[in-house]
Amino acid sequence: MPKTGDMMPAGGERLLWREAMRDVKPLRGPAPAILSPPHPAPAETGCVVKPDQLPGLDRFAGIDRASAERLKRGLHPIEGRLDLHGMTQVEAHRALAGFIHKSRDAGRRCVLVITGRGFGPTGPGILKLAVPRWLEEAGLRRHILAVAPAQPRDGGAGALYLLLRKLRRERKA
């Protein structure tokens, strides 16, 4: 084996590789999937990541198929928008909770939350991963009927449509 600083003859790298790999045996069966490490939940909110709460998953509990399709296709009028670009996790979490509560209190049905794509060297952005988890928190989940990725015209993979539950007014006796 050449010493550091010595010139390796042509094809020397190939010989080194073969020598290093001589005892390696191929795995049987299909190639294993390479998974990225899970992103830790923000310490400030105490969220726990669950596999079914990762971005890109639709959630349509309690709505009919036609309403779910309308939401997926972006056919509901967007009555409010929240852009989380440039916010810290703490700021974004507070802004999201306040936005959802105010939107529901105002009687809005469909709102758009813009997380941004946030592609970086470590994968999707922090907010893109955190927002779906935050939407599953009890304080927010009860106000949301359905969630779907936005259409490209509304932000695509960097935004989510939220269909909010109707506000029930108390009846006067």
Side-chain angles (χ1 to χ4, degrees):
M1 191 179 308
K3 295 178 185 171
T4 306
D6 288 349
M7 294 297 292
M8 195 179 306
E13 291 175 338
R14 203 171 290 143
L15 292 172
L16 285 173
W17 179 255
R18 285 185 188 145
E19 177 64 24
M21 297 291 116
R22 112 184 119 168
D23 295 329
V24 175
K25 295 179 182 164
L27 295 173
R28 295 189 191 276
I34 298 173
L35 302 175
S36 60
H39 293 276
E44 303 91 305
T45 60
C47 296
V48 176
V49 179
K50 295 180 182 174
D52 62 342
Q53 295 173 349
L54 294 175
L57 296 179
D58 302 338
R59 191 185 84 180
F60 301 107
I63 66 171
D64 60 277
R65 183 180 291 176
S67 294
E69 284 301 314
R70 284 178 45 89
L71 185 65
K72 283 183 186 180
R73 294 180 182 172
L75 299 177
H76 284 279
I78 297 172
E79 300 175 84
R81 284 178 167 73
L82 174 65
D83 190 342
L84 301 174
H85 281 103
M87 293 186 191
T88 66
Q89 288 183 65
V90 173
E91 292 168 340
H93 189 259
R94 284 186 192 137
L96 179 65
F99 174 71
I100 289 172
H101 287 102
K102 287 176 188 172
S103 294
R104 184 155 182 262
D105 289 346
R108 296 182 186 132
R109 283 289 277 160
C110 184
V111 296
L112 182 71
V113 175
I114 302 164
T115 62
R117 294 174 189 253
F119 290 121
T122 59
I126 298 295
L127 296 181
K128 182 171 175 56
L129 293 172
V131 167
R133 290 192 314 261
W134 296 340
L135 294 175
E136 290 297 325
E137 293 174 352
L140 297 179
R141 182 178 52 220
R142 65 182 177 182
H143 299 304
I144 300 168
L145 192 57
V147 178
Q151 290 292 312
R153 69 179 178 274
D154 294 320
L160 296 169
Y161 296 125
L162 306 182
L163 188 61
L164 303 178
R165 294 184 185 278
K166 289 182 181 176
L167 186 62
R168 298 193 181 223
R169 306 275 182 201
E170 292 183 21
R171 294 183 183 177
K172 293 183 180 180

